[in-house]
């Protein structure tokens, strides 16, 4: 992929990718489709979340929980999943999208790039609304109206705050884009598993699959924009960007022990963070699909050694 300076003619391949994506937005974007009848796709007899994605159900004592308690924990896990998804969109992805529109960093700002970014911003806000509406049904149906999670309960949000603390100017901007790139060019294992899960709430599976479809387009958009940014900054700033991307990838692998303790509590199951840490230490971290990211690294000639695990 060839480099260009802001204002230069956009290379043919890049122009085609972003122009075609933005032109197809009306046909591909979830927000452009008929809204899902959430209650019509809700079956109270089905679980809200797959057991194998609920680590607290693997802890000693979980086997003695009755069916109602396990059901509440699964429902809380679904609410937790959506709370984290919304926090990542709101705290990590959307700020980076808006940053790339400001002109502060040397990223593509031609017609197609701006249109793709504006569309992505609309998509991400709609994903937050989808999360809000879906968990609203679950809270009402399962009697969990008061269950909520602070956005900074999630490790990735806190780690972004820590990483950019003390940074300013371009270094801070690169940190924000690097973390967002980690989010948009890797696919959460939960997203993949839920979107194809059988035997759970149809509402939950369909909602997640709709989100997954949008994210496949966002991965291409972020890859194209990140290429234009990386090739227009000097070697020292490129090193900063690589470090921010690696930190972002590590942050997305970081576990969220405290929220899982809250999830367990909805079923009357007292779980400590230390128990979850011990459980996690004996298991591999949840896998993220890094295919889009590997394409980006290949395009930029960056080794993925030590970055992708």
């Amino acid at each position: 992929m060839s480099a260009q300076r802001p204002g230069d003619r956009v290379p043919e391949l890049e122009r085609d990718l972003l122009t075609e994506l933005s032109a197809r937005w009306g046909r591909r974007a979830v927000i452009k489709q008929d809204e899902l009848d959430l209650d019509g796709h809700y079956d109270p007899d089905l679980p809200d979340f797959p057991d194998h994605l609920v680590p607290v159900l693997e802890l000693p004592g979980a086997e003695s929980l009755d069916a109602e308690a396990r059901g509440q924990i699964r429902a809380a896990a679904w609410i937790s999943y959506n709370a984290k998804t919304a926090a990542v969109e709101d705290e990590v992805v959307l700020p980076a999208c808006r940053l790339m529109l400001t002109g502060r960093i040397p990223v593509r700002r031609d017609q197609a790039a701006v249109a793709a970014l504006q569309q992505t911003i609309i998509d991400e806000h709609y994903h937050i609304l989808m999360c809000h509406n879906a968990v609203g049904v679950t809270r009402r149906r399962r009697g969990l109206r008061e269950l909520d999670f602070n956005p900074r309960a999630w490790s990735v949000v806190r780690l972004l705050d820590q990483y950019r603390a003390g940074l300013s100017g371009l270094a801070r901007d690169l940190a924000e884009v690097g973390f967002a790139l980690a989010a948009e060019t890797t696919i959460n294992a939960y997203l993949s598993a839920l979107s194809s899960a059988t035997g759970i709430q149809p509402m939950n599976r369909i909602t997640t699959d709709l989100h997954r479809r949008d994210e496949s387009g966002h991965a291409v958009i972020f890859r194209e924009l990140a290429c234009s940014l990386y090739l227009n900054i000097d070697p020292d700033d490129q090193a900063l960007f690589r470090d921010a991307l690696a930190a972002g990838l590590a942050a997305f692998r970081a576990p969220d022990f405290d929220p899982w303790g809250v999830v367990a509590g909805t079923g009357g199951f007292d779980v400590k963070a230390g128990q979850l840490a011990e459980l996690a230490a004996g298991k591999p971290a949840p896998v993220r699909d890094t295919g889009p990211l590997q394409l980006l690294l290949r395009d930029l000639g960056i080794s993925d050694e030590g970055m992708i695990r």
Side-chain angles (χ1 to χ4, degrees):
M1 200 170 283
S2 58
Q4 82 276 352
R5 301 290 172 182
D8 286 354
R9 188 177 69 84
V10 179
E12 198 70 29
L13 176 60
E14 291 187 353
R15 186 180 71 237
D16 284 346
L17 283 172
L18 292 188
T19 299
E20 289 177 9
L21 275 172
S22 59
R24 292 201 307 267
W25 184 64
R27 299 189 298 277
R28 68 176 174 81
V30 174
I31 193 172
K32 293 289 190 173
Q33 301 175 18
D34 291 338
E35 194 162 351
L36 185 67
D37 175 10
L38 297 178
D39 275 293
H41 288 85
Y42 193 90
D43 183 344
D45 294 328
L46 289 175
D48 294 281
F49 216 71
D51 279 7
H52 73 278
L53 296 180
V54 186
V56 297
L57 293 180
E58 299 178 41
L59 292 172
E63 69 281 355
S64 64
L65 294 169
D66 62 26
E68 182 178 358
R70 295 178 75 89
Q72 290 298 92
I73 289 172
R74 294 187 197 103
W78 168 246
I79 294 171
S80 168
Y81 164 78
N82 280 277
K84 181 174 182 177
T85 299
V88 169
E89 305 283 35
D90 207 25
E91 303 287 340
V92 180
V93 178
L94 281 167
C97 289
R98 289 190 286 266
L99 167 64
M100 287 188 282
L101 289 169
T102 63
R104 291 210 313 259
I105 57 176
V107 71
R108 279 183 58 178
R109 290 191 301 281
D110 55 88
Q111 175 68 27
V114 170
L117 270 171
Q118 295 285 15
Q119 291 165 357
T120 300
I121 289 170
I122 293 169
D123 288 344
E124 301 295 20
H125 277 294
Y126 191 62
H127 295 165
I128 293 170
L129 178 61
M130 287 169 60
C131 291
H132 175 77
N133 289 342
V135 300
V137 173
T138 306
R139 286 190 178 107
R140 172 165 47 82
R141 293 293 197 108
R142 301 300 192 189
L144 292 169
R145 294 179 185 271
E146 303 304 315
L147 181 62
D148 203 6
F149 296 88
N150 187 303
R152 275 163 179 73
W154 310 108
S155 295
V156 65
V157 176
R158 293 197 308 274
L159 289 169
L160 172 57
D161 285 343
Q162 293 170 20
Y163 187 86
R164 65 188 172 191
L167 296 178
S168 61
L170 182 60
R172 184 181 178 92
D173 292 342
L174 293 176
E176 295 194 355
V177 176
F179 269 68
L181 186 63
E184 293 294 270
T185 59
T186 64
I187 301 171
N188 188 313
Y190 282 73
L191 181 64
S192 299
L194 287 170
S195 65
S196 59
T198 58
I200 66 166
Q201 285 299 332
M203 178 193 81
N204 299 2
R205 178 183 55 78
I206 295 169
T207 298
T208 311
D209 187 52
L210 291 171
H211 186 181
R212 180 192 60 79
R213 292 183 210 172
D214 270 354
E215 292 302 333
S216 65
H218 295 176
V220 177
I221 291 167
F222 263 76
R223 193 177 82 227
E224 292 301 314
L225 294 174
C227 280
S228 74
L229 171 61
Y230 188 82
L231 296 172
N232 280 296
I233 54 180
D234 65 36
D236 287 343
D237 291 329
Q238 288 179 345
L240 287 174
F241 186 69
R242 292 194 301 271
D243 187 75
L245 176 57
L249 292 168
F252 276 100
R253 291 191 293 265
D256 297 299
F257 297 136
D258 290 338
W260 278 116
V262 174
V263 167
T266 62
F269 188 29
D270 185 23
V271 169
K272 305 300 183 189
Q275 293 174 272
L276 289 163
E278 185 176 346
L279 177 67
K283 299 173 61 177
V287 176
R288 295 181 71 88
D289 178 357
T290 60
L293 174 64
Q294 291 182 59
L295 287 174
L296 169 65
L297 297 179
R298 183 201 64 191
D299 289 345
L300 295 178
I302 299 173
S303 171
D304 63 9
E305 185 176 355
M307 186 173 290
I308 296 176
R309 288 188 286 138

